[in-house]
Amino acid sequence: MLVLDVNETLTDLSPLAARLAEAGLPDHLLPAWFAGVLRDGVALTLAGGEATFAAVARDGLRTLAVCSGTGADPEEAADHVLAGLPLLPLHPDVPDGVRALRTAGHRLVTLTNGSAGTTRAVLDRAGLTDCFEAHLDVEAVGRWKPAREAYAHALDTVGVPPDEAALVSVHPWDIDGAARAGLATVWLRRTRRPYPASQLPAALEATGLTDLAHRLDAERRLLDPGEDGEDAARP
């Protein structure tokens, strides 16, 4: 079973920069805004709080509108940017990569800190929804990834034990969390940024989903424990 992250792993967030500009916000602040959403959502989880991705994202956009000094209306700006989430494109490798993984017999699910409904909207447009067994988010457990409960929720939903699943993500913090929860891990290296030495490494690295399909064909033991019960590819 491959558990695929969504934001930045499957979807390309760069078109949201244009929406920021249209809303009167500095478009170069897109990475800072998204990083802030992840920071605040994870911080809430650590503190025992709970909030949806949309609520945390809206708070960040309202803050940007107030602090940017452009006079943008905070609520209107937030509405405009968030309306772009279901319209995001997939990275170019995703359609062929998903189909290749599915054809090779891999079971696929998505797991996002965002909304499962947004995931479905994006994949519906690409004709990929039926390639996945389920589209999941963390709202059911109220714990953002990389909390152990988020991964456990996904695996419990599809009835797969951790040692028969691998998380696929561009985010090292996601890789680290999944590894600590007992899953195998795949890092999609979409940028030149190095993997943090302070976090558990991925079992496998790929440049995209088509590359991953080829690598998994060669690395069958990622999800196939050996006779001694140990998975040689697990961190």
Side-chain angles (χ1 to χ4, degrees):
M1 169 69 72
L2 297 178
V3 182
L4 279 69
D5 175 55
V6 179
N7 289 323
E8 295 190 299
T9 298
L10 301 182
T11 59
D12 179 3
L13 299 187
S14 61
L16 292 182
R19 283 193 168 257
L20 285 172
E22 292 163 0
L25 306 179
D27 58 0
H28 69 275
L29 292 181
L30 173 62
W33 165 69
F34 185 67
V37 173
L38 295 175
R39 176 201 64 212
D40 292 348
V42 171
L44 276 169
T45 290
L46 289 172
E50 184 176 338
T52 66
F53 181 92
V56 178
R58 176 175 291 277
D59 284 342
L61 290 166
R62 291 171 63 246
T63 299
L64 279 183
V66 171
C67 295
S68 65
T70 62
D73 179 88
E75 297 300 334
E76 291 181 0
D79 286 342
H80 184 67
V81 176
L82 294 178
L85 289 174
L87 305 176
L88 287 174
L90 298 169
H91 287 291
D93 61 282
V94 171
D96 286 346
V98 165
R99 294 187 181 101
L101 289 168
R102 185 63 177 157
T103 298
H106 295 286
R107 299 173 62 188
L108 307 175
V109 299
T110 58
L111 176 64
T112 179
N113 281 337
S115 162
T118 296
T119 300
R120 290 189 194 94
V122 171
L123 294 174
D124 275 345
R125 290 201 322 276
L128 296 174
T129 304
D130 292 342
C131 292
F132 295 84
E133 294 187 19
H135 298 295
L136 306 172
D137 57 40
V138 300
E139 289 188 25
V141 290
R143 302 279 290 171
W144 286 40
K145 294 184 296 175
R148 181 180 296 266
E149 295 90 339
Y151 307 105
H153 164 62
L155 299 181
D156 288 346
T157 299
V158 295
V160 173
D163 62 358
E164 293 180 13
L167 178 86
V168 181
S169 180
V170 298
H171 304 292
W173 55 262
D174 204 3
I175 297 296
D176 182 86
R180 295 180 192 278
L183 287 74
T185 52
V186 178
W187 183 40
L188 290 193
R189 188 174 186 175
R190 294 197 179 280
T191 72
R192 296 180 62 187
R193 296 172 187 165
Y195 194 93
S198 58
Q199 299 182 13
L200 292 177
L204 192 64
E205 180 180 322
T207 57
L209 291 190
T210 49
D211 181 39
L212 175 59
H214 294 307
R215 289 177 181 270
L216 284 179
D217 186 54
E219 297 280 350
R220 302 302 298 180
R221 292 191 68 195
L222 180 70
L223 297 176
D224 183 18
E227 293 182 0
D228 59 0
E230 294 181 353
D231 188 339
R234 192 173 307 284

